[in-house]
Amino acid sequence: MVAANRKARHDYLIQDVFEAGLVLTGTEVKALRAGRASLVDGWGEIESGEAWLHGVHIPEYSQGTWTNHAPRRKRKMLLHREEIERLEARTREKGHTIVPLALYFLDGRAKVEIALAIGKKDWDKRQALRERQDNLEAQRAMRERRDR
């Protein structure tokens, strides 16, 4: 795991998850292998039948020369045609967006886990936190009762 967008599950209601390959340059791969990337401001778009990842920050490679990459350039995602069509149809609906969840290597290839998501309102976020807190308290009470 190179980078994870932990805040995405808090800010968005995740509907569907996809795994996509990434088209990267050599210095981007080396910077990722050094474990430096940020998915916080990233989002996905479908443009003319191709999937693109915007806003993901992969810093310049420290030993790179004039061939270094731009840190926030848009990067092409590799998906099957059916997946791209499904994402395109769903993102046309109001409130739907494509959010990156994780960036990792699988068998030597860079992969990004993206999700089709709907943005949560503030009250949704508070309700989710309250439910999580209630579940933790219930589990704690059950554990205390069992240990007696």
Side-chain angles (χ1 to χ4, degrees):
M1 181 76 66
V2 176
N5 190 356
R6 293 178 17 209
K7 197 170 180 184
R9 294 193 188 272
H10 175 72
D11 290 340
Y12 297 96
L13 178 65
I14 307 299
Q15 289 189 328
D16 209 358
V17 178
F18 300 91
E19 181 181 70
L22 278 177
V23 177
L24 299 173
T25 63
T27 54
E28 286 175 323
V29 174
K30 289 183 177 191
L32 284 179
R33 290 203 187 280
R36 301 176 1 203
S38 174
L39 298 174
V40 175
D41 297 329
W43 77 95
E45 280 185 355
I46 308 295
E47 298 171 6
S48 64
E50 294 180 335
W52 295 90
L53 187 63
H54 296 269
V56 172
H57 185 264
I58 300 175
E60 290 185 348
Y61 182 57
S62 58
Q63 279 84 38
T65 58
W66 56 273
T67 59
N68 240 332
H69 62 277
R72 287 202 186 266
R73 74 177 188 90
K74 71 177 189 176
R75 294 165 179 94
K76 187 174 183 178
M77 292 188 288
L78 304 173
L79 291 162
H80 290 281
R81 173 68 44 210
E82 303 85 42
E83 292 174 331
I84 291 174
E85 290 169 357
R86 187 166 22 153
L87 281 170
E88 187 174 19
R90 295 292 296 275
T91 53
R92 281 196 203 119
E93 297 174 16
K94 185 174 189 222
H96 287 78
T97 187
I98 301 170
V99 180
L101 298 177
L103 187 60
Y104 53 91
F105 283 97
L106 184 66
D107 296 331
R109 291 181 165 84
K111 302 286 184 179
V112 63
E113 185 177 71
I114 59 172
L116 182 65
I118 299 175
K120 283 185 183 177
K121 305 283 186 217
D122 285 338
W123 62 271
D124 286 333
K125 295 176 192 177
R126 285 193 298 269
Q127 184 178 357
L129 288 173
R130 192 174 309 117
E131 287 175 5
R132 189 176 318 134
Q133 187 69 30
D134 291 344
N135 288 339
L136 286 174
E137 288 176 6
Q139 288 176 356
R140 194 175 298 126
M142 296 288 280
R143 207 173 320 126
E144 287 176 6
R145 189 172 199 171
R146 186 183 66 225
D147 291 341
R148 286 185 186 173

